[in-house]
Amino acid sequence: MRLNKYLADCGVGSRRACDKLIEDGCVTINGKVATLGCTVEKDDHVAVNGKRATIQRKITYIMFHKPKGCVTTVKDEHGRKTVMDFIDLKTRLYPIGRLDYDTEGLLLMTNDGDMANKLTHPSNEVPKTYVARISGALTLAEKAQLENGVVVDGKKTAPAKVAILEKDEHHTRVEITITEGRNRQIKKMFECVGKEVEFLKRVAIAEIRLGGLQRGKYRFLSEREIDYLKNL
Ligand code: URA
């Protein structure tokens, strides 16, 4: 098995996060520093920063309602609160994708490396739906611009779906679905049409919806939800 998949299945992090650990020289196989592309054979001793990494047999999937004011990483180098502080499970899970410090809403977490990879890989174009409150009124022309694509960090965004939910003189509440997952994408898209995002919440990933789950709480995904994600 490839080393990055092995590490992800051990619950160390997503495959990409594991690649970074391998590149940084934090991973050893039988005492030798591993490189990208290494494979793991049965009975190999794999360690991350000197600590043995073993495959956990129990594959777990949860949804978490991330509140504002925590980071979506397993550990934060600045000592800030992380999403892990809310999860009291023995099985080591890691977040699938990211939400900003000040964004709330649906975060899926697992120790299934394949699933994490599938849901975050750009080529799979998994839709993610957000509710945003933005400053000012969004015109129909601006809505169309967002739907057709705006240039963010030098690259046009993929087509998005936008619905205006509510508006008054000062704010507009919008539901927006995107199929990419670029850094701060929603905020940057609205910046392109001169609007500031004041509040942002992810409400769905494909057909998996946050529903009434309370902020800061998590629940296990149902068999049906897991099957749905596996067949996505
Ligand atoms: N887009 C953003 O700007 N922030 C998030 O947290 C998620 C999507």
Side-chain angles (χ1 to χ4, degrees), residues 1-8 10 15 19 22 27-47 53 55:
M1 184 191 292
R2 281 178 70 92
L3 180 56
N4 61 357
K5 175 168 165 33
Y6 178 87
L7 291 171
C10 291
R15 274 199 226 178
D19 279 340
I22 300 167
V27 182
T28 55
I29 302 178
N30 304 323
K32 284 204 186 120
V33 175
T35 53
L36 285 176
C38 276
T39 52
V40 180
E41 306 297 331
K42 197 171 169 281
D43 298 332
D44 275 347
H45 184 291
V46 179
I55 298 224

PDB file of all heavy atoms in Angstrom, residues 1-8 10 15 19 22 27-47 53 55:
ATOM      1  N   MET A   1       0.853  -1.191   0.000  1.00  0.00           N
ATOM      2  CA  MET A   1       0.000   0.000   0.000  1.00  0.00           C
ATOM      3  C   MET A   1       0.893   1.248   0.000  1.00  0.00           C
ATOM      4  O   MET A   1       1.938   1.260   0.648  1.00  0.00           O
ATOM      5  CB  MET A   1      -0.844  -0.029   1.284  1.00  0.00           C
ATOM      6  CG  MET A   1      -1.842   1.086   1.372  1.00  0.00           C
ATOM      7  SD  MET A   1      -2.614   1.225   3.013  1.00  0.00           S
ATOM      8  CE  MET A   1      -3.585  -0.249   3.116  1.00  0.00           C
ATOM      9  N   ARG A   2       0.433   2.282  -0.747  1.00  0.00           N
ATOM     10  CA  ARG A   2       1.229   3.517  -0.763  1.00  0.00           C
ATOM     11  C   ARG A   2       1.266   4.145   0.631  1.00  0.00           C
ATOM     12  O   ARG A   2       0.292   4.070   1.388  1.00  0.00           O
ATOM     13  CB  ARG A   2       0.628   4.518  -1.745  1.00  0.00           C
ATOM     14  CG  ARG A   2       0.991   4.219  -3.192  1.00  0.00           C
ATOM     15  CD  ARG A   2       0.325   5.230  -4.094  1.00  0.00           C
ATOM     16  NE  ARG A   2       0.937   6.550  -3.931  1.00  0.00           N
ATOM     17  CZ  ARG A   2       1.944   7.001  -4.665  1.00  0.00           C
ATOM     18  NH1 ARG A   2       2.462   6.236  -5.610  1.00  0.00           N
ATOM     19  NH2 ARG A   2       2.438   8.199  -4.469  1.00  0.00           N
ATOM     20  N   LEU A   3       2.379   4.748   0.936  1.00  0.00           N
ATOM     21  CA  LEU A   3       2.593   5.262   2.290  1.00  0.00           C
ATOM     22  C   LEU A   3       1.553   6.314   2.692  1.00  0.00           C
ATOM     23  O   LEU A   3       1.051   6.313   3.815  1.00  0.00           O
ATOM     24  CB  LEU A   3       4.007   5.844   2.400  1.00  0.00           C
ATOM     25  CG  LEU A   3       4.404   6.438   3.749  1.00  0.00           C
ATOM     26  CD1 LEU A   3       4.252   5.426   4.882  1.00  0.00           C
ATOM     27  CD2 LEU A   3       5.836   6.964   3.706  1.00  0.00           C
ATOM     28  N   ASN A   4       1.197   7.216   1.736  1.00  0.00           N
ATOM     29  CA  ASN A   4       0.245   8.268   2.131  1.00  0.00           C
ATOM     30  C   ASN A   4      -1.138   7.689   2.439  1.00  0.00           C
ATOM     31  O   ASN A   4      -1.812   8.136   3.364  1.00  0.00           O
ATOM     32  CB  ASN A   4       0.192   9.404   1.089  1.00  0.00           C
ATOM     33  CG  ASN A   4      -0.254   8.956  -0.269  1.00  0.00           C
ATOM     34  OD1 ASN A   4      -0.495   7.767  -0.503  1.00  0.00           O
ATOM     35  ND2 ASN A   4      -0.355   9.896  -1.197  1.00  0.00           N
ATOM     36  N   LYS A   5      -1.543   6.649   1.697  1.00  0.00           N
ATOM     37  CA  LYS A   5      -2.837   6.004   1.971  1.00  0.00           C
ATOM     38  C   LYS A   5      -2.781   5.289   3.327  1.00  0.00           C
ATOM     39  O   LYS A   5      -3.707   5.353   4.126  1.00  0.00           O
ATOM     40  CB  LYS A   5      -3.199   5.028   0.852  1.00  0.00           C
ATOM     41  CG  LYS A   5      -4.476   4.251   1.146  1.00  0.00           C
ATOM     42  CD  LYS A   5      -4.983   3.527  -0.068  1.00  0.00           C
ATOM     43  CE  LYS A   5      -6.026   2.452   0.237  1.00  0.00           C
ATOM     44  NZ  LYS A   5      -6.905   2.685   1.350  1.00  0.00           N
ATOM     45  N   TYR A   6      -1.666   4.610   3.550  1.00  0.00           N
ATOM     46  CA  TYR A   6      -1.490   3.900   4.822  1.00  0.00           C
ATOM     47  C   TYR A   6      -1.641   4.878   5.996  1.00  0.00           C
ATOM     48  O   TYR A   6      -2.387   4.631   6.946  1.00  0.00           O
ATOM     49  CB  TYR A   6      -0.114   3.223   4.849  1.00  0.00           C
ATOM     50  CG  TYR A   6       0.176   2.513   6.149  1.00  0.00           C
ATOM     51  CD1 TYR A   6      -0.229   1.192   6.341  1.00  0.00           C
ATOM     52  CD2 TYR A   6       0.843   3.163   7.186  1.00  0.00           C
ATOM     53  CE1 TYR A   6       0.017   0.544   7.540  1.00  0.00           C
ATOM     54  CE2 TYR A   6       1.090   2.519   8.395  1.00  0.00           C
ATOM     55  CZ  TYR A   6       0.677   1.210   8.559  1.00  0.00           C
ATOM     56  OH  TYR A   6       0.906   0.570   9.754  1.00  0.00           O
ATOM     57  N   LEU A   7      -0.955   6.024   5.891  1.00  0.00           N
ATOM     58  CA  LEU A   7      -0.995   6.998   6.992  1.00  0.00           C
ATOM     59  C   LEU A   7      -2.400   7.573   7.176  1.00  0.00           C
ATOM     60  O   LEU A   7      -2.863   7.770   8.298  1.00  0.00           O
ATOM     61  CB  LEU A   7       0.009   8.130   6.738  1.00  0.00           C
ATOM     62  CG  LEU A   7       1.483   7.721   6.827  1.00  0.00           C
ATOM     63  CD1 LEU A   7       2.379   8.863   6.354  1.00  0.00           C
ATOM     64  CD2 LEU A   7       1.861   7.307   8.241  1.00  0.00           C
ATOM     65  N   ALA A   8      -3.069   7.831   6.049  1.00  0.00           N
ATOM     66  CA  ALA A   8      -4.434   8.367   6.142  1.00  0.00           C
ATOM     67  C   ALA A   8      -5.343   7.342   6.816  1.00  0.00           C
ATOM     68  O   ALA A   8      -6.164   7.692   7.667  1.00  0.00           O
ATOM     69  CB  ALA A   8      -4.951   8.730   4.759  1.00  0.00           C
ATOM     70  N   CYS A  10      -4.472   5.270   8.955  1.00  0.00           N
ATOM     71  CA  CYS A  10      -4.102   5.220  10.380  1.00  0.00           C
ATOM     72  C   CYS A  10      -4.728   6.388  11.145  1.00  0.00           C
ATOM     73  O   CYS A  10      -4.591   6.485  12.365  1.00  0.00           O
ATOM     74  CB  CYS A  10      -2.586   5.324  10.555  1.00  0.00           C
ATOM     75  SG  CYS A  10      -1.702   3.896   9.968  1.00  0.00           S
ATOM     76  N   ARG A  15      -4.723  12.401   2.784  1.00  0.00           N
ATOM     77  CA  ARG A  15      -3.537  11.960   2.032  1.00  0.00           C
ATOM     78  C   ARG A  15      -2.604  13.103   1.728  1.00  0.00           C
ATOM     79  O   ARG A  15      -1.389  12.969   1.800  1.00  0.00           O
ATOM     80  CB  ARG A  15      -3.973  11.305   0.722  1.00  0.00           C
ATOM     81  CG  ARG A  15      -4.263   9.852   0.937  1.00  0.00           C
ATOM     82  CD  ARG A  15      -4.245   9.131  -0.374  1.00  0.00           C
ATOM     83  NE  ARG A  15      -5.407   8.286  -0.425  1.00  0.00           N
ATOM     84  CZ  ARG A  15      -5.729   7.532  -1.449  1.00  0.00           C
ATOM     85  NH1 ARG A  15      -4.992   7.553  -2.540  1.00  0.00           N
ATOM     86  NH2 ARG A  15      -6.782   6.779  -1.403  1.00  0.00           N
ATOM     87  N   ASP A  19       1.240  13.538   2.758  1.00  0.00           N
ATOM     88  CA  ASP A  19       2.335  13.805   1.806  1.00  0.00           C
ATOM     89  C   ASP A  19       3.266  14.873   2.370  1.00  0.00           C
ATOM     90  O   ASP A  19       4.477  14.792   2.247  1.00  0.00           O
ATOM     91  CB  ASP A  19       1.768  14.288   0.457  1.00  0.00           C
ATOM     92  CG  ASP A  19       1.299  13.129  -0.410  1.00  0.00           C
ATOM     93  OD1 ASP A  19       1.748  11.991  -0.156  1.00  0.00           O
ATOM     94  OD2 ASP A  19       0.489  13.355  -1.321  1.00  0.00           O
ATOM     95  N   ILE A  22       5.459  13.479   4.961  1.00  0.00           N
ATOM     96  CA  ILE A  22       6.523  12.660   4.343  1.00  0.00           C
ATOM     97  C   ILE A  22       7.596  13.591   3.770  1.00  0.00           C
ATOM     98  O   ILE A  22       8.792  13.417   4.028  1.00  0.00           O
ATOM     99  CB  ILE A  22       5.941  11.742   3.233  1.00  0.00           C
ATOM    100  CG1 ILE A  22       4.889  10.798   3.822  1.00  0.00           C
ATOM    101  CG2 ILE A  22       7.057  10.953   2.551  1.00  0.00           C
ATOM    102  CD1 ILE A  22       4.040  10.073   2.786  1.00  0.00           C
ATOM    103  N   VAL A  27       8.360  11.088   8.632  1.00  0.00           N
ATOM    104  CA  VAL A  27       7.865   9.704   8.608  1.00  0.00           C
ATOM    105  C   VAL A  27       9.016   8.733   8.381  1.00  0.00           C
ATOM    106  O   VAL A  27       9.863   8.954   7.509  1.00  0.00           O
ATOM    107  CB  VAL A  27       6.807   9.546   7.489  1.00  0.00           C
ATOM    108  CG1 VAL A  27       6.247   8.132   7.478  1.00  0.00           C
ATOM    109  CG2 VAL A  27       5.689  10.562   7.672  1.00  0.00           C
ATOM    110  N   THR A  28       9.041   7.669   9.170  1.00  0.00           N
ATOM    111  CA  THR A  28      10.058   6.635   8.961  1.00  0.00           C
ATOM    112  C   THR A  28       9.389   5.287   8.704  1.00  0.00           C
ATOM    113  O   THR A  28       8.294   5.020   9.196  1.00  0.00           O
ATOM    114  CB  THR A  28      10.985   6.497  10.191  1.00  0.00           C
ATOM    115  OG1 THR A  28      10.163   6.266  11.348  1.00  0.00           O
ATOM    116  CG2 THR A  28      11.836   7.729  10.410  1.00  0.00           C
ATOM    117  N   ILE A  29      10.089   4.476   7.896  1.00  0.00           N
ATOM    118  CA  ILE A  29       9.660   3.075   7.729  1.00  0.00           C
ATOM    119  C   ILE A  29      10.836   2.223   8.197  1.00  0.00           C
ATOM    120  O   ILE A  29      11.949   2.365   7.676  1.00  0.00           O
ATOM    121  CB  ILE A  29       9.321   2.738   6.257  1.00  0.00           C
ATOM    122  CG1 ILE A  29       8.217   3.665   5.727  1.00  0.00           C
ATOM    123  CG2 ILE A  29       8.893   1.276   6.124  1.00  0.00           C
ATOM    124  CD1 ILE A  29       7.858   3.430   4.260  1.00  0.00           C
ATOM    125  N   ASN A  30      10.590   1.411   9.176  1.00  0.00           N
ATOM    126  CA  ASN A  30      11.641   0.578   9.783  1.00  0.00           C
ATOM    127  C   ASN A  30      12.881   1.421  10.134  1.00  0.00           C
ATOM    128  O   ASN A  30      14.019   1.032   9.861  1.00  0.00           O
ATOM    129  CB  ASN A  30      12.023  -0.579   8.854  1.00  0.00           C
ATOM    130  CG  ASN A  30      10.808  -1.400   8.492  1.00  0.00           C
ATOM    131  OD1 ASN A  30       9.925  -1.606   9.328  1.00  0.00           O
ATOM    132  ND2 ASN A  30      10.725  -1.858   7.262  1.00  0.00           N
ATOM    133  N   GLY A  31      12.606   2.597  10.663  1.00  0.00           N
ATOM    134  CA  GLY A  31      13.691   3.442  11.153  1.00  0.00           C
ATOM    135  C   GLY A  31      14.343   4.331  10.115  1.00  0.00           C
ATOM    136  O   GLY A  31      15.145   5.194  10.455  1.00  0.00           O
ATOM    137  N   LYS A  32      13.996   4.142   8.831  1.00  0.00           N
ATOM    138  CA  LYS A  32      14.611   4.973   7.779  1.00  0.00           C
ATOM    139  C   LYS A  32      13.628   6.051   7.343  1.00  0.00           C
ATOM    140  O   LYS A  32      12.434   5.758   7.152  1.00  0.00           O
ATOM    141  CB  LYS A  32      14.935   4.114   6.550  1.00  0.00           C
ATOM    142  CG  LYS A  32      16.143   3.261   6.727  1.00  0.00           C
ATOM    143  CD  LYS A  32      16.716   2.926   5.338  1.00  0.00           C
ATOM    144  CE  LYS A  32      17.855   1.940   5.485  1.00  0.00           C
ATOM    145  NZ  LYS A  32      17.616   0.689   4.783  1.00  0.00           N
ATOM    146  N   VAL A  33      14.130   7.266   7.124  1.00  0.00           N
ATOM    147  CA  VAL A  33      13.242   8.353   6.711  1.00  0.00           C
ATOM    148  C   VAL A  33      12.631   8.006   5.350  1.00  0.00           C
ATOM    149  O   VAL A  33      13.344   7.641   4.414  1.00  0.00           O
ATOM    150  CB  VAL A  33      14.007   9.696   6.634  1.00  0.00           C
ATOM    151  CG1 VAL A  33      13.111  10.800   6.089  1.00  0.00           C
ATOM    152  CG2 VAL A  33      14.532  10.084   8.016  1.00  0.00           C
ATOM    153  N   ALA A  34      11.289   8.099   5.282  1.00  0.00           N
ATOM    154  CA  ALA A  34      10.578   7.716   4.053  1.00  0.00           C
ATOM    155  C   ALA A  34      10.491   8.903   3.092  1.00  0.00           C
ATOM    156  O   ALA A  34      10.628  10.054   3.496  1.00  0.00           O
ATOM    157  CB  ALA A  34       9.178   7.250   4.420  1.00  0.00           C
ATOM    158  N   THR A  35      10.264   8.579   1.826  1.00  0.00           N
ATOM    159  CA  THR A  35      10.080   9.634   0.818  1.00  0.00           C
ATOM    160  C   THR A  35       8.727   9.403   0.135  1.00  0.00           C
ATOM    161  O   THR A  35       8.138   8.324   0.253  1.00  0.00           O
ATOM    162  CB  THR A  35      11.185   9.591  -0.256  1.00  0.00           C
ATOM    163  OG1 THR A  35      11.227   8.257  -0.768  1.00  0.00           O
ATOM    164  CG2 THR A  35      12.531   9.978   0.308  1.00  0.00           C
ATOM    165  N   LEU A  36       8.273  10.434  -0.586  1.00  0.00           N
ATOM    166  CA  LEU A  36       6.991  10.326  -1.297  1.00  0.00           C
ATOM    167  C   LEU A  36       7.058   9.127  -2.240  1.00  0.00           C
ATOM    168  O   LEU A  36       8.087   8.896  -2.860  1.00  0.00           O
ATOM    169  CB  LEU A  36       6.742  11.588  -2.134  1.00  0.00           C
ATOM    170  CG  LEU A  36       6.326  12.840  -1.370  1.00  0.00           C
ATOM    171  CD1 LEU A  36       6.216  14.011  -2.328  1.00  0.00           C
ATOM    172  CD2 LEU A  36       5.002  12.622  -0.659  1.00  0.00           C
ATOM    173  N   GLY A  37       6.005   8.380  -2.332  1.00  0.00           N
ATOM    174  CA  GLY A  37       6.005   7.242  -3.250  1.00  0.00           C
ATOM    175  C   GLY A  37       6.455   5.940  -2.607  1.00  0.00           C
ATOM    176  O   GLY A  37       6.374   4.878  -3.225  1.00  0.00           O
ATOM    177  N   CYS A  38       6.938   5.993  -1.374  1.00  0.00           N
ATOM    178  CA  CYS A  38       7.305   4.743  -0.677  1.00  0.00           C
ATOM    179  C   CYS A  38       6.059   3.894  -0.480  1.00  0.00           C
ATOM    180  O   CYS A  38       4.949   4.411  -0.384  1.00  0.00           O
ATOM    181  CB  CYS A  38       7.873   5.056   0.718  1.00  0.00           C
ATOM    182  SG  CYS A  38       9.617   5.465   0.735  1.00  0.00           S
ATOM    183  N   THR A  39       6.242   2.602  -0.393  1.00  0.00           N
ATOM    184  CA  THR A  39       5.101   1.730  -0.087  1.00  0.00           C
ATOM    185  C   THR A  39       5.344   1.024   1.242  1.00  0.00           C
ATOM    186  O   THR A  39       6.474   0.924   1.709  1.00  0.00           O
ATOM    187  CB  THR A  39       4.887   0.673  -1.194  1.00  0.00           C
ATOM    188  OG1 THR A  39       6.127   0.007  -1.405  1.00  0.00           O
ATOM    189  CG2 THR A  39       4.427   1.303  -2.488  1.00  0.00           C
ATOM    190  N   VAL A  40       4.244   0.540   1.815  1.00  0.00           N
ATOM    191  CA  VAL A  40       4.317  -0.130   3.123  1.00  0.00           C
ATOM    192  C   VAL A  40       3.966  -1.602   2.932  1.00  0.00           C
ATOM    193  O   VAL A  40       2.959  -1.928   2.301  1.00  0.00           O
ATOM    194  CB  VAL A  40       3.315   0.527   4.109  1.00  0.00           C
ATOM    195  CG1 VAL A  40       3.377  -0.163   5.467  1.00  0.00           C
ATOM    196  CG2 VAL A  40       3.596   2.010   4.248  1.00  0.00           C
ATOM    197  N   GLU A  41       4.803  -2.468   3.434  1.00  0.00           N
ATOM    198  CA  GLU A  41       4.539  -3.912   3.364  1.00  0.00           C
ATOM    199  C   GLU A  41       4.049  -4.372   4.737  1.00  0.00           C
ATOM    200  O   GLU A  41       4.272  -3.695   5.746  1.00  0.00           O
ATOM    201  CB  GLU A  41       5.825  -4.679   3.032  1.00  0.00           C
ATOM    202  CG  GLU A  41       6.550  -4.199   1.787  1.00  0.00           C
ATOM    203  CD  GLU A  41       5.729  -4.360   0.519  1.00  0.00           C
ATOM    204  OE1 GLU A  41       4.897  -5.278   0.468  1.00  0.00           O
ATOM    205  OE2 GLU A  41       5.909  -3.544  -0.402  1.00  0.00           O
ATOM    206  N   LYS A  42       3.422  -5.540   4.730  1.00  0.00           N
ATOM    207  CA  LYS A  42       2.957  -6.134   5.997  1.00  0.00           C
ATOM    208  C   LYS A  42       4.149  -6.215   6.967  1.00  0.00           C
ATOM    209  O   LYS A  42       5.271  -6.496   6.538  1.00  0.00           O
ATOM    210  CB  LYS A  42       2.431  -7.543   5.683  1.00  0.00           C
ATOM    211  CG  LYS A  42       1.574  -8.117   6.762  1.00  0.00           C
ATOM    212  CD  LYS A  42       0.907  -9.404   6.280  1.00  0.00           C
ATOM    213  CE  LYS A  42       0.277 -10.122   7.441  1.00  0.00           C
ATOM    214  NZ  LYS A  42       1.219 -10.876   8.243  1.00  0.00           N
ATOM    215  N   ASP A  43       3.904  -5.934   8.226  1.00  0.00           N
ATOM    216  CA  ASP A  43       4.916  -5.994   9.299  1.00  0.00           C
ATOM    217  C   ASP A  43       5.925  -4.851   9.294  1.00  0.00           C
ATOM    218  O   ASP A  43       6.817  -4.816  10.128  1.00  0.00           O
ATOM    219  CB  ASP A  43       5.685  -7.334   9.293  1.00  0.00           C
ATOM    220  CG  ASP A  43       4.754  -8.494   9.542  1.00  0.00           C
ATOM    221  OD1 ASP A  43       3.725  -8.279  10.225  1.00  0.00           O
ATOM    222  OD2 ASP A  43       5.020  -9.598   9.046  1.00  0.00           O
ATOM    223  N   ASP A  44       5.814  -3.909   8.334  1.00  0.00           N
ATOM    224  CA  ASP A  44       6.690  -2.730   8.403  1.00  0.00           C
ATOM    225  C   ASP A  44       6.360  -1.912   9.637  1.00  0.00           C
ATOM    226  O   ASP A  44       5.193  -1.850  10.049  1.00  0.00           O
ATOM    227  CB  ASP A  44       6.500  -1.836   7.153  1.00  0.00           C
ATOM    228  CG  ASP A  44       7.354  -2.308   5.986  1.00  0.00           C
ATOM    229  OD1 ASP A  44       8.244  -3.144   6.204  1.00  0.00           O
ATOM    230  OD2 ASP A  44       7.107  -1.835   4.856  1.00  0.00           O
ATOM    231  N   HIS A  45       7.363  -1.270  10.190  1.00  0.00           N
ATOM    232  CA  HIS A  45       7.153  -0.386  11.337  1.00  0.00           C
ATOM    233  C   HIS A  45       7.168   1.050  10.814  1.00  0.00           C
ATOM    234  O   HIS A  45       8.213   1.552  10.399  1.00  0.00           O
ATOM    235  CB  HIS A  45       8.272  -0.609  12.370  1.00  0.00           C
ATOM    236  CG  HIS A  45       8.084   0.196  13.624  1.00  0.00           C
ATOM    237  ND1 HIS A  45       8.199   1.565  13.651  1.00  0.00           N
ATOM    238  CD2 HIS A  45       7.788  -0.195  14.889  1.00  0.00           C
ATOM    239  CE1 HIS A  45       7.985   1.989  14.883  1.00  0.00           C
ATOM    240  NE2 HIS A  45       7.724   0.940  15.657  1.00  0.00           N
ATOM    241  N   VAL A  46       5.967   1.666  10.800  1.00  0.00           N
ATOM    242  CA  VAL A  46       5.858   3.032  10.279  1.00  0.00           C
ATOM    243  C   VAL A  46       5.667   3.977  11.458  1.00  0.00           C
ATOM    244  O   VAL A  46       4.849   3.710  12.350  1.00  0.00           O
ATOM    245  CB  VAL A  46       4.658   3.152   9.305  1.00  0.00           C
ATOM    246  CG1 VAL A  46       4.518   4.579   8.781  1.00  0.00           C
ATOM    247  CG2 VAL A  46       4.819   2.180   8.140  1.00  0.00           C
ATOM    248  N   ALA A  47       6.420   5.059  11.476  1.00  0.00           N
ATOM    249  CA  ALA A  47       6.293   6.006  12.594  1.00  0.00           C
ATOM    250  C   ALA A  47       6.212   7.435  12.074  1.00  0.00           C
ATOM    251  O   ALA A  47       6.806   7.775  11.049  1.00  0.00           O
ATOM    252  CB  ALA A  47       7.474   5.851  13.546  1.00  0.00           C
ATOM    253  N   ALA A  53       2.536   4.406  13.811  1.00  0.00           N
ATOM    254  CA  ALA A  53       1.212   4.609  13.208  1.00  0.00           C
ATOM    255  C   ALA A  53       0.688   3.248  12.770  1.00  0.00           C
ATOM    256  O   ALA A  53       1.324   2.564  11.978  1.00  0.00           O
ATOM    257  CB  ALA A  53       1.328   5.541  12.007  1.00  0.00           C
ATOM    258  N   ILE A  55      -2.864   0.912  11.537  1.00  0.00           N
ATOM    259  CA  ILE A  55      -4.196   1.043  10.937  1.00  0.00           C
ATOM    260  C   ILE A  55      -5.275   0.770  11.972  1.00  0.00           C
ATOM    261  O   ILE A  55      -5.203  -0.198  12.716  1.00  0.00           O
ATOM    262  CB  ILE A  55      -4.359   0.081   9.748  1.00  0.00           C
ATOM    263  CG1 ILE A  55      -3.338   0.443   8.676  1.00  0.00           C
ATOM    264  CG2 ILE A  55      -5.791   0.079   9.235  1.00  0.00           C
ATOM    265  CD1 ILE A  55      -3.786   0.474   7.271  1.00  0.00           C
TER     266      ILE A  55
END
